[in-house]
Amino acid sequence: MRRKVYVDGAGVRVPFTEVVLSGDHAPVRLYDTSGPGSDPAEGLPELRKPWRRGRTQLAAARAGIVTPEMEFAAIREGVDVEVVRSEIAAGRAVLPANVNHPESEPMVIGSRFLVKVNANIGTSAVTSSVAEEVEKLTWATRWGADTVMDLSTGPRIHQTREAIVRNSPVPIGTVPIYQALEKVKGDPLKLTWELFRQTVIEQAEQGVDYMTIHAGVLLEYVPLAAERVTGIVSRGGSIMAAWCLAEHRENFLYTHFRELCEIFREYDITFSLGDGLRPGSIADANDEAQFAELRTLGELTHIAWEYDVQVMVEGPGHVPMHKIKENVDRQVELCGGAPFYTLGPLATDIAPAYDHITSAIGAAMIGWFGTAMLCYVTPKEHLGLPDKDDVKAGMIAYKIAAHAADLAKGHPGAQEWDDALSRARFDFRWEDQFELALDPETARSYHDQTLPADAAKTAHFCSMCGPKFCSMKISHELREAGMKAKSSEFVDAGGRVYLPVTGA
Amino acid sequence: MRRKVYVDGAGVRVPFTEVVLSGDHAPVRLYDTSGPGSDPAEGLPELRKPWRRGRTQLAAARAGIVTPEMEFAAIREGVDVEVVRSEIAAGRAVLPANVNHPESEPMVIGSRFLVKVNANIGTSAVTSSVAEEVEKLTWATRWGADTVMDLSTGPRIHQTREAIVRNSPVPIGTVPIYQALEKVKGDPLKLTWELFRQTVIEQAEQGVDYMTIHAGVLLEYVPLAAERVTGIVSRGGSIMAAWCLAEHRENFLYTHFRELCEIFREYDITFSLGDGLRPGSIADANDEAQFAELRTLGELTHIAWEYDVQVMVEGPGHVPMHKIKENVDRQVELCGGAPFYTLGPLATDIAPAYDHITSAIGAAMIGWFGTAMLCYVTPKEHLGLPDKDDVKAGMIAYKIAAHAADLAKGHPGAQEWDDALSRARFDFRWEDQFELALDPETARSYHDQTLPADAAKTAHFCSMCGPKFCSMKISHELREAGMKAKSSEFVDAGGRVYLPVTGA
């Protein structure tokens, strides 16, 4: 059985999912992003309203102040709040929390903490509706999304975002250039700084917690992408590149970056510095266009920090396994340890319709190497807009990748989940095994497909091997038959009773 | 369009799948394991019948002889046949080809070659039929299985295996202890060397190409598994452990190993030295039980080589990412470079129903580090017997892992596939993109879900972003509008026309 429980801290009450196990096995507590639940028409309760204050989380952290947000996030992570404060102060972690998004439950993103997963949703000109997107939001957080990006394009961008922010218990990210482009009816050449600035303020007022800003796509870098196999694959990147080349002027996001910092500081919006020149294919990975932009993102990171504005830096994309680590190493060096936030990367291009898997491979590895948040990829990547099933498939693949990374990083407590599940498996506690699974319903239904009877839920075997061939059953019989006693007796007796086969 | 083509070599004719592309784009040739196809009642044609000879592939390779099998495998791999011969001679590669399985198309397994994937099929006492298993075999090779293991237990083992071998264009592996145990009605204590020997000969006569032998589960190692979270999870390992402890004698597979070598040499059967003590959970990874057995497998590898018998060594299992590389490094050192053949490994235990994904992460990494063949894991792992859909899901996940590993190893030619697909993607050649996909049908159907019209197959956008936001469309427009010309002009002019934002 699963149930929601709360842990009290100094002025905060933090939700967890508790998995109650059979017999006297201790329950297991899991990080819970699903929020309090609500009627979409009403919106969520304003949890953070009483906490609101006049400075950014970064400014507070630097001043040695522990905010309720930090306290909340520390309890979720199971770490001392001083770790949260000091990592934020150093710029190595961010706590995205727009003052106008009081509905959100605070969380922290940084390489010292649990690896996070972002889910992208959003309408396009071709398909989807506001109600559908709110449903996807709720669905994504139910499967563990730590943040959600609303990437809506097409009509109704403002209303879609309003519905999403008011109903989101997790931080919401956007890419404001999409809405700016809608305002000029899709013609990048009509974009101006003033129009962009107004769009950012509009979204800031709504409560967007972090925004992707493609300020690193400099005019001089665009030619570097000309000979690529897949050119520029970032929507925002291609829009800014088109503007730069047509105007033959520098990217206005770069030239007005300090003004953006001032706006972001006012709302405590976190920068997600977009990698507009990320590689869109294995052939283009780790090329000069990509790394040139990364150097500029490093420069911008340090500028944002001057303004007490929090920063994440976005990363690729499509990268073969042997080139993944270099991405993290360079990012850490150039961006002063600011959290890295990567899209996959996909470890191969050959499997459209399975890019949740091609990218979970790269995501797990890059998470291990130090990426703080992974942007999920769904099976529909490269093919179409994800529906609810795709959102779930993407989330599951990425929760696997993130948890595998937590294990590999030796994150305190991460392995307890694996151990609890494996102990349930070894004990043939089938119901406990299902409840501890990332997706209990599917695990149960797969088991039922071949052995549907209730009796099979207590059987000491499954349909894979049948009763005679179950290694775990035999292991238990060995153990129960006094294997340990026999073993020590055997070891005491010298431990070797045979002639080595290598002998004459 | 896809079609089967043949490349002629010295006395051999090697099949490939050719993906024919639109316009004047060069076709792409893919490794093809699907075989010539047949009526299951008839069996496949006996391709290798005229080639059969009196010595093993290893003996021939050591004597400097190039067999037709080596020639065939070299063409499939796109390498010089001398590479195949010398790698086999050194024990770093195997070419599993029982003289009694003339239907098989030769292939080579070794870290210098393409990473291979094995699919497990087979009946159990609880479920499945002979016809179903032959259908799964054909289905597995259609999705790229390089070898298939028949792990049948329960009744009809002999008949199932006969049907599988006669219809298999790929090498077939088995675990003879399963049938031996059936012969003694499931009581491990009734197992004897003589019974096992007869079972091996029965299977050798049928044409099994490689056999898993759990000869490394020594009596003294069994106690090492007593305190594990999941004990012994290998079926063969647990059977032999039960026998050893009950008899208080050394594993008869170990004490009679040289006799096994003599039988294997007669048929040119390849050893797959089973890892009966592999870890079945993250908690048990890389423990003393596992590595103690690996040392013994190393000793047995060198013994088999004395008899001109080819050897692969099996590996884990469940291993967190940071402990994967040590498995390969130790295996290479202890087993003299004999091909490593691993099950996954699963990078976390928390996702039953998605273990094709948890394990594809580990499999891709271990393949990159040097594993020669990956044993697939299906979504039903830990829950039930895989059906056809599971076989496909497992195969796709593992072809992704294997190809990602080929890319990371820099295998010559591997990236051509990715590049061809990415070029098709960038050119909006949708049909070419689908045909080049690992699973064309699913890629096409996902695209059709949101944009079903035929016109959409030539559209310069998809439903993900719609027409205005397609980065690739914009990239093309940039390129077509003379981006290159503009760019060089710009670079020639000095490359900097803006004031740096970091300036005063």
Side-chain angles (χ1 to χ4, degrees):
Chain A
M1 194 194 74
R2 287 179 169 218
R3 65 180 179 199
K4 201 152 195 155
V5 296
Y6 296 87
V7 173
D8 288 320
V12 299
R13 201 161 163 262
V14 181
F16 288 87
T17 296
E18 188 167 83
V19 186
V20 181
L21 303 181
S22 61
D24 56 358
H25 297 280
V28 175
R29 283 195 180 164
L30 304 178
Y31 195 107
D32 184 335
T33 61
S34 63
S38 74
D39 171 358
E42 296 276 323
L44 294 176
E46 299 188 331
L47 170 74
R48 291 170 53 232
K49 198 172 184 184
W51 309 348
R52 282 195 260 170
R53 68 198 59 243
R55 56 173 116 195
T56 71
Q57 297 292 332
L58 177 51
R62 283 171 163 175
I65 296 168
V66 168
T67 63
E69 283 84 355
M70 295 175 202
E71 173 77 11
F72 194 105
I75 293 174
R76 290 185 112 170
E77 297 278 341
V79 299
D80 192 278
V81 71
E82 179 54 21
V83 178
V84 174
R85 189 205 60 77
S86 61
E87 288 295 297
I88 292 173
R92 286 190 301 264
V94 296
L95 196 160
N98 185 320
V99 293
N100 290 335
H101 185 200
E103 298 90 346
S104 73
E105 295 178 339
M107 52 81 73
V108 64
I109 302 169
S111 60
R112 281 281 300 271
F113 305 103
L114 289 162
V115 174
K116 304 304 188 294
V117 175
N118 170 69
N120 288 338
I121 61 171
T123 57
S124 84
V126 182
T127 181
S128 204
S129 73
V130 174
E132 256 180 78
E133 294 313 308
V134 173
E135 210 184 321
K136 280 186 205 166
L137 160 75
T138 306
W139 188 237
T141 58
R142 183 241 173 285
W143 290 108
D146 295 288
T147 77
V148 167
M149 289 194 82
D150 172 15
L151 302 186
S152 291
T153 58
R156 302 181 309 273
I157 289 188
H158 184 94
Q159 303 92 301
T160 305
R161 188 172 48 240
E162 184 64 24
I164 286 175
V165 175
R166 297 286 77 80
N167 285 287
S168 178
V170 301
I172 294 297
T174 60
V175 187
I177 199 77
Y178 297 172
Q179 187 180 12
L181 192 67
E182 287 293 341
K183 290 179 178 176
V184 292
K185 303 204 169 18
D187 182 357
L189 310 191
K190 296 220 172 72
L191 287 169
T192 64
W193 159 246
E194 184 51 30
L195 178 88
F196 185 82
R197 196 183 70 85
Q198 285 163 11
T199 306
V200 165
I201 291 171
E202 173 188 339
Q203 300 196 5
E205 284 291 327
Q206 286 184 298
V208 170
D209 300 287
Y210 66 91
M211 296 186 190
T212 296
I213 302 292
H214 296 94
V217 181
L218 300 194
L219 178 56
E220 64 176 318
Y221 301 158
V222 181
L224 299 175
E227 297 300 330
R228 279 177 158 185
V229 166
T230 47
I232 298 174
V233 298
S234 149
R235 292 191 248 175
S238 64
I239 294 164
M240 293 318 300
W243 187 90
C244 289
L245 278 191
E247 296 277 324
H248 215 268
R249 286 163 59 197
E250 193 46 277
N251 182 337
F252 60 75
L253 299 171
Y254 181 77
T255 54
H256 291 271
F257 190 74
R258 288 177 181 272
E259 288 161 77
L260 274 176
C261 291
E262 283 164 6
I263 301 168
F264 277 36
R265 178 172 53 192
E266 198 175 329
Y267 298 88
D268 202 358
I269 296 167
T270 299
F271 273 110
S272 187
L273 295 176
D275 55 336
L277 300 179
R278 68 169 173 269
S281 55
I282 291 295
D284 296 342
N286 293 23
D287 71 354
E288 179 50 23
Q290 181 192 338
F291 287 139
E293 182 185 31
L294 183 60
R295 285 192 295 275
T296 299
L297 300 185
E299 174 192 326
L300 297 171
T301 297
H302 290 90
I303 293 171
W305 285 344
E306 289 177 29
Y307 292 79
D308 286 338
V309 173
Q310 306 184 89
V311 186
M312 298 187 284
V313 176
E314 297 184 10
H318 292 238
V319 185
M321 285 189 286
H322 63 299
K323 292 187 178 175
I324 290 177
K325 191 162 185 300
E326 185 185 3
N327 279 275
V328 183
D329 293 345
R330 288 202 187 213
Q331 189 272 343
V332 169
E333 189 197 330
L334 292 168
C335 304
F340 204 22
Y341 168 28
T342 62
L343 178 67
L346 285 71
T348 168
D349 303 341
I350 63 165
Y354 298 90
D355 280 332
H356 58 312
I357 300 178
T358 65
S359 67
I361 293 169
M365 290 176 67
I366 209 164
W368 171 28
F369 298 146
T371 284
M373 184 156 74
L374 307 168
C375 181
Y376 85 173
V377 171
T378 80
K380 288 277 170 60
E381 184 75 16
H382 300 116
L383 298 168
L385 206 66
D387 61 19
K388 261 183 79 174
D389 289 344
D390 299 315
V391 168
K392 177 178 169 183
M395 277 310 308
I396 296 276
Y398 273 69
K399 291 302 280 185
I400 289 170
H403 185 73
D406 289 337
L407 283 179
K409 289 200 299 183
H411 191 86
Q415 200 183 312
E416 283 169 24
W417 189 0
D418 299 76
D419 292 353
L421 192 143
S422 287
R423 287 204 175 88
R425 180 174 282 156
F426 190 65
D427 291 348
F428 299 100
R429 287 182 276 121
W430 289 99
E431 284 297 344
D432 286 355
Q433 189 186 159
F434 301 149
E435 285 300 319
L436 283 163
L438 200 49
D439 178 358
E441 292 79 0
T442 305
R444 189 177 285 110
S445 79
Y446 281 3
H447 180 264
D448 285 359
Q449 273 176 32
T450 39
L451 288 177
D454 272 353
K457 299 293 193 306
T458 52
H460 281 201
F461 61 90
C462 73
S463 71
M464 249 199 310
C465 313
K468 274 190 295 198
F469 283 88
C470 180
S471 59
M472 291 199 176
K473 180 163 169 265
I474 297 175
S475 281
H476 271 282
E477 287 164 359
L478 287 176
R479 201 180 268 188
E480 283 153 21
M483 168 168 145
K484 291 184 210 171
K486 277 212 178 185
S487 307
S488 353
E489 181 190 306
F490 170 65
V491 172
D492 293 345
R496 287 181 79 86
V497 290
Y498 56 93
L499 293 174
V501 74
T502 44
Chain B
M1 194 193 72
R2 287 179 169 217
R3 65 180 178 197
K4 202 152 195 156
V5 296
Y6 296 87
V7 173
D8 288 321
V12 299
R13 201 161 163 262
V14 181
F16 287 86
T17 295
E18 189 168 83
V19 185
V20 181
L21 303 180
S22 62
D24 56 358
H25 297 280
V28 175
R29 283 194 180 163
L30 305 178
Y31 195 107
D32 183 335
T33 61
S34 63
S38 74
D39 172 359
E42 296 276 324
L44 295 175
E46 298 188 331
L47 170 74
R48 292 169 54 232
K49 199 173 182 182
W51 309 346
R52 282 197 259 171
R53 68 197 59 243
R55 57 171 115 194
T56 73
Q57 297 292 332
L58 177 51
R62 284 172 162 175
I65 297 167
V66 168
T67 63
E69 283 85 355
M70 296 174 200
E71 173 77 11
F72 194 105
I75 293 173
R76 291 185 111 170
E77 298 279 340
V79 299
D80 192 277
V81 71
E82 179 52 22
V83 178
V84 174
R85 189 205 60 76
S86 61
E87 288 294 297
I88 293 173
R92 287 191 300 265
V94 296
L95 195 160
N98 184 321
V99 292
N100 290 336
H101 186 200
E103 298 90 346
S104 73
E105 294 179 339
M107 52 81 74
V108 65
I109 302 168
S111 61
R112 281 281 300 271
F113 304 104
L114 290 162
V115 174
K116 303 302 188 296
V117 175
N118 171 71
N120 288 337
I121 61 170
T123 57
S124 84
V126 183
T127 182
S128 203
S129 73
V130 174
E132 257 181 78
E133 294 313 308
V134 173
E135 209 184 321
K136 280 186 205 165
L137 159 76
T138 306
W139 187 238
T141 59
R142 183 239 172 285
W143 290 108
D146 295 286
T147 76
V148 168
M149 288 194 84
D150 172 15
L151 302 187
S152 291
T153 57
R156 301 181 310 273
I157 290 188
H158 185 94
Q159 303 91 301
T160 305
R161 186 170 53 239
E162 183 66 23
I164 287 175
V165 175
R166 297 288 75 80
N167 284 288
S168 178
V170 300
I172 294 298
T174 60
V175 187
I177 199 77
Y178 297 172
Q179 187 180 12
L181 192 68
E182 287 293 339
K183 289 179 179 177
V184 292
K185 303 201 167 25
D187 181 356
L189 310 191
K190 295 220 171 71
L191 287 169
T192 63
W193 159 246
E194 183 52 31
L195 178 88
F196 185 81
R197 194 182 72 83
Q198 284 163 13
T199 307
V200 165
I201 291 172
E202 173 188 338
Q203 300 196 5
E205 283 291 326
Q206 284 184 301
V208 170
D209 300 288
Y210 65 91
M211 296 185 191
T212 296
I213 302 292
H214 295 95
V217 181
L218 301 193
L219 178 56
E220 64 176 317
Y221 300 159
V222 180
L224 299 175
E227 297 299 330
R228 280 176 157 183
V229 167
T230 47
I232 299 174
V233 297
S234 149
R235 291 191 249 174
S238 63
I239 294 164
M240 293 317 300
W243 188 90
C244 290
L245 278 192
E247 296 275 323
H248 214 268
R249 284 162 62 196
E250 192 47 276
N251 182 336
F252 62 74
L253 299 171
Y254 181 76
T255 54
H256 291 271
F257 191 74
R258 288 177 181 272
E259 288 161 76
L260 274 176
C261 290
E262 283 165 5
I263 301 168
F264 277 36
R265 178 172 55 193
E266 197 174 329
Y267 297 88
D268 202 358
I269 296 166
T270 299
F271 274 109
S272 187
L273 295 176
D275 55 337
L277 301 178
R278 68 172 174 267
S281 56
I282 291 296
D284 296 342
N286 294 21
D287 71 355
E288 179 52 21
Q290 182 193 337
F291 286 140
E293 181 185 33
L294 184 59
R295 285 193 294 275
T296 300
L297 300 185
E299 173 192 326
L300 297 171
T301 298
H302 289 89
I303 293 171
W305 284 344
E306 289 177 29
Y307 291 80
D308 286 337
V309 174
Q310 306 184 90
V311 185
M312 298 188 284
V313 177
E314 297 184 9
H318 292 238
V319 185
M321 286 189 286
H322 63 299
K323 293 187 177 176
I324 291 177
K325 191 162 184 301
E326 185 185 4
N327 280 275
V328 183
D329 293 345
R330 288 203 187 212
Q331 188 272 342
V332 168
E333 188 197 330
L334 292 168
C335 304
F340 204 22
Y341 167 29
T342 62
L343 178 67
L346 286 70
T348 167
D349 303 341
I350 63 165
Y354 299 89
D355 281 332
H356 58 312
I357 299 178
T358 65
S359 67
I361 293 168
M365 290 177 68
I366 209 164
W368 171 27
F369 297 147
T371 284
M373 183 155 77
L374 307 169
C375 182
Y376 85 173
V377 169
T378 79
K380 289 274 171 63
E381 184 76 15
H382 300 116
L383 299 168
L385 206 66
D387 62 19
K388 263 184 79 174
D389 289 345
D390 299 315
V391 168
K392 178 177 168 182
M395 278 309 307
I396 296 277
Y398 272 70
K399 293 301 281 186
I400 288 169
H403 185 73
D406 290 338
L407 283 178
K409 291 201 298 183
H411 192 85
Q415 200 184 311
E416 283 169 25
W417 189 359
D418 299 77
D419 292 354
L421 191 144
S422 287
R423 287 203 175 87
R425 179 173 282 156
F426 190 65
D427 290 348
F428 299 100
R429 288 182 275 121
W430 288 99
E431 285 295 343
D432 286 355
Q433 189 187 160
F434 301 149
E435 286 299 320
L436 283 163
L438 199 48
D439 178 359
E441 293 78 1
T442 305
R444 189 178 286 110
S445 78
Y446 281 5
H447 181 265
D448 285 359
Q449 275 177 32
T450 38
L451 287 178
D454 272 354
K457 300 293 193 307
T458 52
H460 280 201
F461 61 90
C462 72
S463 70
M464 249 198 312
C465 311
K468 275 189 293 198
F469 283 88
C470 180
S471 58
M472 291 199 176
K473 180 163 169 265
I474 298 174
S475 280
H476 272 282
E477 288 164 1
L478 287 177
R479 198 181 269 187
E480 283 155 21
M483 168 167 144
K484 290 184 214 172
K486 276 212 177 184
S487 308
S488 354
E489 179 190 305
F490 171 64
V491 171
D492 292 349
R496 288 180 78 87
V497 290
Y498 57 91
L499 294 173
V501 75
T502 44

